[in-house]
């Protein structure tokens, strides 16, 4: 079936470096994507979203890029900090009135001191 | 700011028992969602309610039912529990009528079935 998925299950980066987490999706009709951060024992936390009419969106230290041609999106975290350690999920918002989120498999980001 | 409240935070049940999980959305939010997250898995959408009516249904087993009440809180009822039902259950809420699809997740209920 149609899915949202991530390329790598784990990512280790040096503190202060930039992190890039990639995600591929299969449904070309998908039009709304979200990145979530989930720390251990907590619920997913909204980071940033992007609609299909955009290629790029920036937040505080985070940037999401969307390439509709190859059905790929990425999350870039600038100057990675220890507090960024978590599992990151890309997700697609579907359903009537975009009421359900389809999560992809997460990428665990770990920070080396 | 007030967040989504879930109770209980931890629940231990035996096979074939029933369980009820409760969710209290952020005040004035009109939509509630339920997700199930197994160990090492991504969250799976179960069901959602908008203005007390079911709005979407995902991979929710027939043994489970849910509803949203007049005060907008929601309950997930789980019967004939199986070992495989052991998971984290998250509730999320949003203000869809306000044009926002951003879902705010609660801390989750960890259900252990023995």
């Amino acid at each position: 079936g149609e899915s949202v998925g991530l390329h790598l299950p784990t990512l280790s980066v040096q503190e202060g470096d930039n992190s890039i987490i990639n995600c591929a999706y299969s449904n070309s009709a998908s039009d709304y994507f979200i990145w979530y951060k989930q720390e251990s024992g907590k619920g997913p936390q909204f980071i940033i979203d992007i609609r299909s009419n955009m290629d790029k969106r920036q937040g505080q230290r985070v940037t999401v890029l969307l390439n509709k041609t190859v059905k790929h999106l990425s999350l870039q975290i600038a100057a990675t900090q220890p507090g960024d350690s978590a599992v990151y999920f890309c997700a697609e918002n579907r359903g009537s009135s975009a009421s359900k989120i389809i999560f992809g498999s997460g990428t665990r980001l770990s920070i080396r001191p | 700011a007030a967040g989504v409240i879930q109770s209980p935070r931890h629940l231990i049940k035996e096979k074939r028992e029933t369980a009820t999980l409760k969710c209290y959305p952020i005040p004035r939010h009109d939509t509630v969602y339920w997700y199930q997250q197994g160990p090492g898995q991504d969250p799976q959408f179960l069901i959602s309610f908008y203005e007390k009516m079911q709005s979407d249904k995902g991979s929710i087993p027939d043994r489970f039912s849910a509803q949203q009440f007049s005060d907008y809180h929601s309950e997930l009822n789980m019967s004939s529990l199986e070992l495989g039902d052991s998971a984290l259950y998250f509730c999320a809420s949003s203000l869809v009528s306000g044009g926002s699809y951003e879902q705010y997740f609660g801390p989750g209920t960890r259900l252990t079935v023995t």
Side-chain angles (χ1 to χ4, degrees):
Chain A
E2 295 167 337
S3 63
V4 182
L6 295 176
H7 290 306
L8 295 172
T10 61
L11 178 65
S12 177
V13 299
Q14 192 77 33
E15 182 178 349
D17 286 353
N18 296 336
S19 302
I20 299 176
I21 302 173
N22 296 303
C23 179
Y25 62 95
S26 58
N27 184 359
S28 57
S30 299
D31 62 359
Y32 181 41
F33 301 92
I34 314 118
W35 281 98
Y36 282 91
K37 172 186 180 182
Q38 187 175 24
E39 296 175 276
S40 180
K42 296 183 178 180
Q45 178 185 2
F46 174 93
I47 300 174
I48 192 168
D49 59 1
I50 188 167
R51 295 196 177 274
S52 60
N53 60 352
M54 303 173 71
D55 297 323
K56 179 180 179 179
R57 191 153 189 240
Q58 287 184 294
Q60 186 177 12
R61 281 201 309 118
V62 294
T63 301
V64 56
L65 299 177
L66 176 61
N67 185 329
K68 295 178 285 294
T69 302
V70 295
K71 291 184 280 190
H72 177 274
L73 66 161
S74 66
L75 176 70
Q76 300 178 6
I77 304 173
T80 310
Q81 303 169 359
D84 295 327
S85 293
V87 176
Y88 290 81
F89 294 95
C90 64
E92 177 189 3
N93 202 325
R94 296 186 196 170
S96 60
S97 302
S99 68
K100 66 179 178 182
I101 293 175
I102 306 299
F103 284 84
S105 301
T107 289
R108 180 173 299 279
L109 177 64
S110 60
I111 315 301
R112 301 191 302 272
Chain B
V4 175
I5 298 172
Q6 291 188 245
S7 69
R9 293 295 311 277
H10 301 273
L11 188 60
I12 299 175
K13 290 286 185 178
E14 295 186 354
K15 283 194 305 182
R16 292 179 289 277
E17 285 191 322
T18 61
T20 297
L21 309 185
K22 297 185 178 182
C23 170
Y24 299 86
I26 291 173
R28 293 183 292 282
H29 279 194
D30 51 22
T31 307
V32 169
Y33 316 79
W34 285 97
Y35 294 85
Q36 177 193 58
Q37 186 175 29
Q41 304 294 313
D42 52 282
Q44 294 290 318
F45 172 78
L46 294 178
I47 196 166
S48 62
F49 293 87
Y50 168 70
E51 285 290 344
K52 292 151 281 184
M53 298 288 289
Q54 180 182 309
S55 56
D56 255 307
K57 198 170 182 180
S59 51
I60 184 169
D62 292 340
R63 300 177 288 107
F64 294 6
S65 65
Q67 57 181 324
Q68 186 179 29
F69 295 86
S70 59
D71 64 350
Y72 293 94
H73 95 273
S74 178
E75 295 184 3
L76 177 66
N77 299 294
M78 311 160 72
S79 63
S80 302
L81 286 169
E82 302 173 356
L83 295 178
D85 296 329
S86 295
L88 268 169
Y89 290 83
F90 290 105
C91 172
S93 73
S94 65
L95 181 59
V96 171
S97 62
S100 171
Y101 298 119
E102 182 175 340
Q103 297 185 18
Y104 295 83
F105 282 76
T109 293
R110 182 175 295 279
L111 172 67
T112 302
V113 181
T114 62

